[in-house]
């Protein structure tokens, strides 16, 4: 190449032609790789979008949901796939109970950061956990702002009932050592047209569950309410909306509740009532 | 071969009882660590002190620490090489050795931390480029390859020298001769080698910076207080170079004493590296102040919990101990020994002590970065077992950590026994007299002749519904007449959307960098979900009559919809004078549902009901949510391409400098004996 101005311009042009050519090449390669249907496992059995609504005004912190969940999923000890928190922002404002399942976020940090796609989003909105694939790096635990994930640190204690089942990604049992576990919205019950174990077990009828596209959520008492009418009884909220995780679990504020507050309950338990 | 080289070569062959004791000691510590790891493999990570609350501990601390130490070497020696600092020559080999060994140990620590190490290859089989873990796998593998090459290339001439040294045992000479790739030392070979080393030196700098940046991104890509920080990349890089420089100085102090390398390692080397360490301690102090001042000034909820734990809570001892041993004491020591004339005679021991403190402090600092953040989650820790609330490492973790350090020392010792710790040919070029004058500033970049090398940095069905009448065939009593209800529905034209409160003009979809596919690219992500089908208001009209055909006027007619899990009650509407009733539904609903129109019955009428299948419009096609940033099960080009490009360039550079220049060209030139 001559070191003239023309030579320089020519080399520039040749360079840009190369750059444009390789860009087109990369583009078509990537499109060929990506222009595929979603993988089989990401396709839900039904075209529904599951959503949960927890009416905090009805939650009295009895933890029946936790017990039902643990029983149904044979959840290993020390894990609570649905945990009932006692939330105290500040003492003057009072406290309330808050059941926390997996939020099945639409922008799930865990799915984003899983190195092997062991945790993945399904078209019905459920974030599933593939125990056959999980490598146990616990990056998802670090990622989840809701502390919704647990890890099997040792071999989980098994029961004959649990071992009688064959492992299925929709049930997540029998449980295994060295993998991450969490609430999976009971997909096998949803398939059967039943409410998830926690929602079915809630005596207060605080947990509503349903299909967002149906605009209806139902609780254990068979009460069905319209998701889009939540605002009529005082706007609902999602946990940590500011984090941009877009959870699929909604909460109705703990107003006009008809049971003891966490403080009153504690005072009662302490025999001070 | 002069006296100092003879002395250096003696270190390769002469091993006293102290050496064997040292090896035996390290071997014992490693065996104990292996025993602990076998236990952990057998019973799982339950053998550690970690829990669901604090799920990363010593292993990840060690990983970050060793990757940090690895910056010692290569970065320092590459920068010094690029800047053509003559005094670097006796120390580059030691620095590069630390890098290679530290990287091997660091990456092994991640495998030790895994719950399912036997599934390690899932990372290759199912790897998702959207995950920071993959960036690390990519980065660390590339870096390790680069560092091994960068250690090996400058070793080739020495291997040539050693292969011809008759003072060495035959087996050793055979090894050196194979590794030297037939080096003969012709000018052509020198020219090619110099070029290869220069290319590697230039590419290793951005590579080293990228590696510690992606390590920090494992943390910075989370939402957790204390990790969710934009300065984590450079903060980690500076910390890494700082601890790496200290590791080099400490190694120099030890080798100088043990191998009697006073002839090679003069005070000037220590003084220059001392200045480098001092400037990095200042820089690291600045990053610490920047990191903690900005969050403690605002004291937000999550960060408040973290800072309370760090400044005065359970982690305060580690936090302050880290700051004092990592920054404060070394800073004071370095200033004293470098700036105060009276302290000059103690230069080397004091520098050794300061370096040891920096390394110790750096390890504590890594622990303080990893653990306290996990101990202060967004939701309060409730109903967790007591042992999960506080992290105290188990003996298994301590044993494996000790074994990691021992393995580091053992591998480094083996390297030092196999290859000369000081480059023979490089120190031949520079006479000792030249070394004494070599006091040029460390950070100054100078242009070199081999020409500029560009450093690439990344950085629903219309129509009538089936009306089905249902007659209650119960004629128990004469009075209540059966009621017949007929219901029809029709879709109303879509309405203009209600005015929404102004939320500004931006659209979230176009704001986030990674929520929209790159122009021209299509990803496996939701396409159908992009445009939500319009809402279709529906009008249901029912006509209720009794058995005589009289309309049921002014009665309450109830409407309900049967969904998948429950029945949605719309309440009841009064029928008009003709027994007609209308219900308009404007809901966010898609799909076809049976709507039941019912009359509960009164004294003169039996209950009656009718069900009509109402179509609220087609459901959107199943898709993954558009809001899901980077959750695609496939390769996301918007984040994957930059990473692949960056590390791809690195592999090209390796292929060029080692594969082409050294393996191919050198061999060909040798075969044809052609001048370059």
């Amino acid at each position: 190449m001559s070191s003239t101005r023309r030579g320089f311009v020519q080399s520039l042009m040749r360079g840009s032609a190369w750059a444009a050519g390789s860009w087109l090449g990369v583009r078509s390669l990537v499109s060929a790789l990506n222009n595929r249907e979603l993988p089989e496992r990401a396709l839900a059995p039904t075209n529904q979008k599951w959503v949960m609504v927890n009416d905090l005004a009805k939650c009295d912190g009895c933890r029946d949901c936790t017990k039902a969940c643990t029983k149904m999923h044979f959840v290993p000890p020390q894990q609570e796939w649905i945990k009932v928190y006692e939330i105290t922002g500040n003492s003057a404002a009072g406290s309330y109970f808050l059941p926390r399942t997996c939020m099945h976020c639409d922008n799930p940090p865990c799915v984003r950061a899983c190195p092997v796609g062991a945790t993945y989003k399904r078209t019905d909105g459920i974030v599933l956990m593939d125990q056959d694939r999980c490598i146990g790096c616990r990056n998802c635990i670090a990622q989840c702002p809701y502390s919704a994930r647990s890890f099997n640190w040792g071999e989980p204690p098994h029961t004959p009932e649990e071992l009688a089942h064959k492992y299925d990604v929709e049930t997540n049992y029998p449980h295994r050592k060295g993998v991450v576990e969490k609430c999976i919205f009971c997909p096998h019950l949803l398939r059967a047209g039943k409410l998830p174990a926690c929602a079915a077990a809630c005596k207060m009828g605080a947990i509503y569950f349903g299909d967002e596209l149906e605009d209806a959520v139902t609780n254990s008492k068979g009460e069905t309410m319209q998701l889009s009418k939540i605002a009529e009884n005082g706007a609902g909220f999602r946990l940590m909306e500011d984090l941009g995780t877009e959870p699929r679990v909604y909460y109705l504020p703990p107003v006009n509740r008809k049971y003891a507050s966490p403080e009153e309950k504690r005072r009662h338990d302490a025999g001070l009532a | 071969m002069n006296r100092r080289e003879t002395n250096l070569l003696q270190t390769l062959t002469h091993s006293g009882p102290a050496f064997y004791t040292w090896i035996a000691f390290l071997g014992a510590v490693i065996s104990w660590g292996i025993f602990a790891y076998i236990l952990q493999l057998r019973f799982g990570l339950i053998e550690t002190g970690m829990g669901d609350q604090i799920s990363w501990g010593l292993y990840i601390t060690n990983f970050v620490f060793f990757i940090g130490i690895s910056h010692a070497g290569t970065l320092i020696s590459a920068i010094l090489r690029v800047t053509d600092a003559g005094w670097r020559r006796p120390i580059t080999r030691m620095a590069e050795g630390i890098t290679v060994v530290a990287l091997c140990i660091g990456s092994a620590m991640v495998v030790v931390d895994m719950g399912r190490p036997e599934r390690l290859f899932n990372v290759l089989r199912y790897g998702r480029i959207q995950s920071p873990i993959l960036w690390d796998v990519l980065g660390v593998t590339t870096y390790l390859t680069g560092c091994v090459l960068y250690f090996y290339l400058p070793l080739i001439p020495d291997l040539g020298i050693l292969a011809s040294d008759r003072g060495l045992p035959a087996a050793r000479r055979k090894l050196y001769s194979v590794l030297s790739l037939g080096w003969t030392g012709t000018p052509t070979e020198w020219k090619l080698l110099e070029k290869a080393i220069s290319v590697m030196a230039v590419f290793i700098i951005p590579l080293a910076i990228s590696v510690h940046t992606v390590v920090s991104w494992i943390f910075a890509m989370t939402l957790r207080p204390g990790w969710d920080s934009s300065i984590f990349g450079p903060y980690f890089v500076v910390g890494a170079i700082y601890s790496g420089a200290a590791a080099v100085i400490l190694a120099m102090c030890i080798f100088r004493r043990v191998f009697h390398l006073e002839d090679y390692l003069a005070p000037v080397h220590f003084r220059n590296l001392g200045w480098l360490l001092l400037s990095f301690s200042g820089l690291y102090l600045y990053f610490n102040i920047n990191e903690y001042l900005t969050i403690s000034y605002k004291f937000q909820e999550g960060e408040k919990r973290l800072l309370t734990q760090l400044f005065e809570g359970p982690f305060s001892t580690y936090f302050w101990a880290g700051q004092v041993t990592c920054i404060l004491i070394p800073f004071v020591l370095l200033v004293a020994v470098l700036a105060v004339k009276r302290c000059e005679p103690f230069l080397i021991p004091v520098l050794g002590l300061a370096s040891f403190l920096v390394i110790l402090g750096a390890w504590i600092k890594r622990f303080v970065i990893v653990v306290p953040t996990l101990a202060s989650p967004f939701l309060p820790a409730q109903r967790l077992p007591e042992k999960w609330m506080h992290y105290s490492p188990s003996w298994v973790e301590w044993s494996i950590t000790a074994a990691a350090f021992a393995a580091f020392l053992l591998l480094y010792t083996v390297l030092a026994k196999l290859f000369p710790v000081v480059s023979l040919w490089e120190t031949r070029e520079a006479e000792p007299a030249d070394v004494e004058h070599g006091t040029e500033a460390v950070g100054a970049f100078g242009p070199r002749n081999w020409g500029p090398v560009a450093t690439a940095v990344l950085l629903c069905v219309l129509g009538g519904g089936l009306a089905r009448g249902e007659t209650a065939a119960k004629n128990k009593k004469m009075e209540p007449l059966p009621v017949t209800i007929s219901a029809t529905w029709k879709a109303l034209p879509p309405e203009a959307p209600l005015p929404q409160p102004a939320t500004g003009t931006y659209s979230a979809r176009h704001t986030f960098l990674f929520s929209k596919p790159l122009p021209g690219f299509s990803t496996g992500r939701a396409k159908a979900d992009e445009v939500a089908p319009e809402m279709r208001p529906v009008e249901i009209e029912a006509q209720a009559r009794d058995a005589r055909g009289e309309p049921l006027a002014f009665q309450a007619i109830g409407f309900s919809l049967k969904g998948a899990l429950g029945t949605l009650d719309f309440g009841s509407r009064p029928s008009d004078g003709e027994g007609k009733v209308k219900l308009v539904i404007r809901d966010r609903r898609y799909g076809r549902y049976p709507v039941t129109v019912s009359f509960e019955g009164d004294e003169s009428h039996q209950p009656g009901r009718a069900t009509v299948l109402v179509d609220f419009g087609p459901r959107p096609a199943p898709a993954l949510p558009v809001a899901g940033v980077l959750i695609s099960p496939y390769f996301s080009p918007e984040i994957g391409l930059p990473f692949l490009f960056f590390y791809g360039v690195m592999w090209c550079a390796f292929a060029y400098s080692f594969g082409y220049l050294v393996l191919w060209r050198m061999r060909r030139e040798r075969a044809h004996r052609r001048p370059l």
Side-chain angles (χ1 to χ4, degrees), chain B residues 20-199:
Chain B
Y20 291 108
T21 316
W22 172 244
I23 296 290
F25 166 70
L26 293 180
V29 177
I30 295 169
S31 314
W32 181 250
I34 291 174
F35 167 68
Y37 186 56
I38 290 172
L39 269 185
Q40 184 185 304
L41 280 179
R42 170 73 186 78
F43 297 107
L45 288 162
I46 193 135
E47 295 292 330
T48 68
M50 295 184 275
D52 285 356
Q53 172 93 332
I54 298 159
S55 60
W56 282 343
L58 285 197
Y59 302 147
I60 297 294
T61 306
N62 291 337
F63 162 67
V64 180
F65 173 78
F66 279 111
I67 302 286
I69 291 289
S70 79
H71 280 48
T74 307
L75 198 54
I76 290 168
S77 93
I79 290 177
L80 296 180
R81 210 183 282 271
V82 169
T83 54
D84 205 14
W87 59 272
R88 72 165 200 278
R89 293 193 169 97
I91 55 177
T92 47
R93 177 79 40 83
M94 291 175 201
E96 288 152 14
I98 293 179
T99 302
V100 172
V101 176
L103 270 178
C104 295
I105 305 293
S107 34
M109 288 320 289
V110 182
V111 179
V112 170
D113 187 65
M114 283 168 63
R116 288 279 187 159
E118 79 276 14
R119 294 182 182 171
L120 181 63
F121 289 99
N122 277 6
V123 174
L124 301 178
R125 219 176 132 193
Y126 304 112
R128 295 175 69 251
I129 196 74
Q130 298 94 319
S131 168
I133 305 267
L134 254 283
W135 309 342
D136 268 58
V137 172
L138 202 57
V140 173
T141 334
T142 311
Y143 192 40
L144 183 58
T145 313
C147 289
V148 169
L149 290 177
Y150 192 60
F151 175 78
Y152 178 62
L153 291 177
L155 194 63
I156 294 174
D158 279 11
L159 293 167
I161 296 170
L162 291 169
S164 59
D165 184 358
R166 303 201 174 274
L168 291 168
R172 280 267 197 127
R173 284 174 55 199
K174 177 81 188 150
L175 171 77
Y176 293 142
S177 131
V178 170
L179 286 175
S180 71
L181 306 170
W183 176 265
T184 50
T186 61
T188 321
E189 283 180 332
W190 276 110
K191 216 165 181 174
L192 287 169
L193 186 74
E194 285 278 6
K195 196 173 179 186
I197 295 173
S198 301
V199 170

Side-chain angles (χ1 to χ4, degrees), chain B residues 440-662:
Chain B
E440 54 260 66
V442 169
F445 265 71
R448 293 217 19 188
N449 289 342
W450 43 266
V453 177
T455 313
V457 182
L458 69 148
L459 295 228
C460 193
V461 180
L462 271 169
L466 289 162
R468 192 159 55 92
E470 197 181 299
T471 347
K474 288 177 187 170
N475 297 324
K476 283 185 280 178
K477 287 179 188 170
M478 280 302 291
E479 270 98 86
L481 290 165
V483 170
T484 313
I485 301 173
S486 63
T488 56
W489 68 277
K490 69 176 186 217
L492 300 175
E495 291 169 349
L498 288 173
Q500 294 292 318
T503 51
T505 49
Y506 82 95
S507 155
R509 231 171 255 183
H510 296 264
T511 307
F512 296 117
L513 183 55
F514 297 121
S515 64
K516 203 178 183 321
L518 223 54
F521 285 101
S522 69
T523 57
R525 225 169 47 202
K527 284 177 211 118
D529 206 21
E530 296 268 357
V531 189
E534 58 188 11
M535 234 60 76
R536 184 197 280 185
V538 158
E539 186 189 78
I540 299 164
E541 195 179 322
Q543 168 81 59
R545 290 178 198 279
D546 60 19
R548 296 179 302 224
E550 294 287 313
L552 244 70
F554 312 112
Q555 296 290 341
I557 307 290
F559 293 86
S560 66
L561 178 142
K562 178 91 181 67
L565 294 171
T567 307
L568 183 63
D569 195 356
F570 291 108
S572 43
R573 302 281 183 283
S575 57
D576 60 11
E578 292 163 21
K580 277 184 180 166
V581 61
K582 269 184 193 170
L583 173 74
V584 177
I585 303 174
R586 293 184 181 88
D587 288 353
R588 262 186 270 150
R589 185 177 294 111
Y590 308 97
R592 302 165 71 157
Y593 301 89
V595 172
T596 305
V597 186
S598 60
F599 172 66
E600 284 185 2
D602 56 13
E603 302 93 62
S604 52
H605 297 96
Q606 288 179 359
R609 57 195 302 192
T611 303
V612 59
L613 197 63
V614 180
D615 192 340
F616 288 86
R619 281 179 172 248
L624 293 182
V626 201
V629 180
L630 298 172
I631 65 166
S632 164
Y634 299 120
F635 179 85
S636 290
E638 50 274 62
I639 197 150
L641 285 180
F643 277 97
L644 290 185
F645 176 75
F646 183 81
Y647 291 109
V649 167
M650 296 299 153
W651 283 96
C652 293
F654 301 164
Y656 174 74
S657 73
F658 183 68
Y660 175 70
L661 288 177
V662 173

Side-chain angles (χ1 to χ4, degrees), chain A residues 23 26-28 30-31 33-39 41-43 46-50 63 66 77-80 83-87 89 98 100 105-118 121-124 130-139 141-147 149-155 176-179 190 193-196 209-216 218 222-229 239-240 243-246 248, chain B residues 40-48 50-57 59-60 113-117 119-124 126-134 217-219 221-224 227-228 301 374 377-385 387-388 518-527 529 561-570 585-591 593 619-637 641:
Chain A
W23 175 250
V26 169
R27 221 184 75 165
S28 50
V30 170
S31 301
L33 283 172
N34 283 294
N35 224 353
R36 280 185 285 175
E37 295 295 310
L38 285 171
R41 64 185 198 142
L43 299 173
T46 53
N47 185 13
Q48 283 162 309
K49 292 234 180 250
W50 301 112
R63 301 195 163 91
T66 314
Q78 300 180 330
Q79 286 187 28
E80 286 180 326
K83 191 192 271 289
V84 182
Y85 281 91
E86 190 188 312
I87 302 288
L98 182 137
R100 188 272 293 127
C105 307
D106 274 352
N107 183 14
C110 52
V111 174
R112 196 155 74 191
C114 179
V116 295
K121 187 86 176 167
R122 225 167 55 163
T123 51
D124 58 358
D130 187 348
Q131 250 64 285
D132 283 332
R133 200 183 272 196
C134 178
I135 60 168
C137 71
R138 310 192 294 292
N139 194 25
I141 299 187
Q143 286 277 346
C144 180
Y146 305 101
S147 309
R149 289 175 163 262
S150 319
F151 186 73
N152 287 327
W153 297 94
E155 183 67 37
R176 288 139 182 223
K177 182 183 86 176
V179 291
L190 296 175
K194 289 183 192 156
L195 283 174
F209 196 87
D211 178 8
E212 188 191 341
L213 298 177
E214 199 172 273
D215 200 16
T218 309
E223 293 165 349
T224 301
M225 67 176 182
Q226 238 173 289
L227 189 62
S228 58
K229 296 262 163 78
L239 270 189
M240 302 173 212
L243 298 180
T245 54
E246 308 278 337
R248 296 200 70 78
Chain B
Q40 184 185 304
L41 280 179
R42 170 73 186 78
F43 297 107
L45 288 162
I46 193 135
E47 295 292 330
T48 68
M50 295 184 275
D52 285 356
Q53 172 93 332
I54 298 159
S55 60
W56 282 343
Y59 302 147
I60 297 294
D113 187 65
M114 283 168 63
R116 288 279 187 159
R119 294 182 182 171
L120 181 63
F121 289 99
N122 277 6
V123 174
L124 301 178
Y126 304 112
R128 295 175 69 251
I129 196 74
Q130 298 94 319
S131 168
I133 305 267
L134 254 283
W217 283 352
I218 289 192
F219 304 102
M221 293 298 163
T222 68
L223 301 155
R224 294 198 180 237
W227 288 353
D228 180 12
E301 177 70 23
L374 288 167
F378 284 99
L379 287 170
Q382 289 175 3
R383 295 167 58 76
L384 281 173
K387 88 178 259 272
W388 286 359
L518 223 54
F521 285 101
S522 69
T523 57
R525 225 169 47 202
K527 284 177 211 118
D529 206 21
L561 178 142
K562 178 91 181 67
L565 294 171
T567 307
L568 183 63
D569 195 356
F570 291 108
I585 303 174
R586 293 184 181 88
D587 288 353
R588 262 186 270 150
R589 185 177 294 111
Y590 308 97
Y593 301 89
R619 281 179 172 248
L624 293 182
V626 201
V629 180
L630 298 172
I631 65 166
S632 164
Y634 299 120
F635 179 85
S636 290
L641 285 180

